[in-house]
Amino acid sequence: MPITILLADDHAMVRRGLHVFLSTQTDMKVVGEASNGQEAIEQAEKLQPDVVLMDLHMPVLDGIETARRLRTILPGIRVIVLTSFSDQDHVIPAVRAGVKGYLMKDIEPEDLAVAIRNVHAGQAQLHPAAAGQLMHVMASSDIQLEAQDTVRTDSTAYGKVQDYEKLKQLLPLEETSPSLDALTRREQEVLALIAQGLSNKEIAVQLVITEKTVKTHVSHLLDKLGLADRTQAAIHAVKNGWV
């Protein structure tokens, strides 16, 4: 059975482009489109898609409120945000609303397809820049939670713990892994740029190498560090103070 997808974006050209590309994927099927958040909810209730791929900024009902309502009405649907914003004011509310993927609109088409498959399979997918924002909040939450009396049961403390646990679920578990010395100088440069949120194409331009070479370096550094994807690499680099 193909992965059924509902597209929600107020720009028709964006929806059209996504529809055309996703239609080339043999394991995916776009079953509907919506131009605003309210339409997205109505279409989701009617079509019951596996995944809703949507923008954050939409009329009538924005993406964050749409995700929040979908989580309540149709908890089995997985929401992926495709946006141009990676700042904390967008990332954190989206995560709290229950999105399972937070991707940037400059994502490579093939990477988008992979992300959709992974989210459908139950994995969280975060752009490195979004993951960096979660890292910042996680660090702050660590300090706040350590300072709290463990017997406190008031709603404010409980809410902070809930947010903290939700953020932890979206980030990979901390595991022992090789040091930065395990990477070549070029792989270290690529890792630093990944942590800054650059795409393979942007890294290639920055380092004056081909995009194919960048992909090779990314593959090698992931293998050496025992990590699964770029998001984990970015988080791992930040946590270890490598960037």
Side-chain angles (χ1 to χ4, degrees), residues 12-143:
M13 285 298 293
V14 173
R15 297 197 307 273
R16 179 60 179 168
L18 289 170
H19 198 146
V20 169
F21 168 68
L22 294 175
S23 295
T24 67
Q25 305 300 301
T26 58
D27 60 340
M28 298 180 191
K29 180 180 181 181
V30 176
V31 294
E33 298 183 13
S35 60
N36 61 62
Q38 186 58 46
E39 278 185 20
I41 292 174
E42 293 170 357
Q43 291 280 45
E45 290 182 302
K46 175 183 176 182
L47 301 171
Q48 299 286 311
D50 296 314
V51 173
V52 174
L53 182 63
M54 69 178 185
D55 191 11
L56 279 182
H57 287 253
M58 296 186 292
V60 184
L61 203 64
D62 67 28
I64 291 172
E65 183 59 29
T66 300
R68 187 177 294 114
R69 295 189 188 185
L70 284 173
R71 181 181 60 183
T72 301
I73 301 169
L74 301 165
I77 290 180
R78 303 184 188 282
V79 176
I80 300 175
V81 164
L82 189 61
T83 182
S84 302
F85 302 94
S86 60
D87 57 279
Q88 195 173 42
D89 290 339
H90 289 86
V91 175
I92 305 307
V95 170
R96 287 173 174 158
V99 305
K100 299 302 180 184
Y102 197 104
L103 308 173
M104 305 303 290
K105 284 188 174 180
D106 62 357
I107 189 172
E108 295 293 332
E110 295 77 13
D111 292 336
L112 174 60
V114 170
I116 291 173
R117 294 186 185 100
N118 288 342
V119 168
H120 180 252
Q123 302 176 34
Q125 293 290 294
L126 300 175
H127 184 275
Q133 295 294 345
L134 292 187
M135 282 290 302
H136 177 74
V137 174
M138 285 282 287
S140 298
S141 297
D142 276 329
I143 296 171

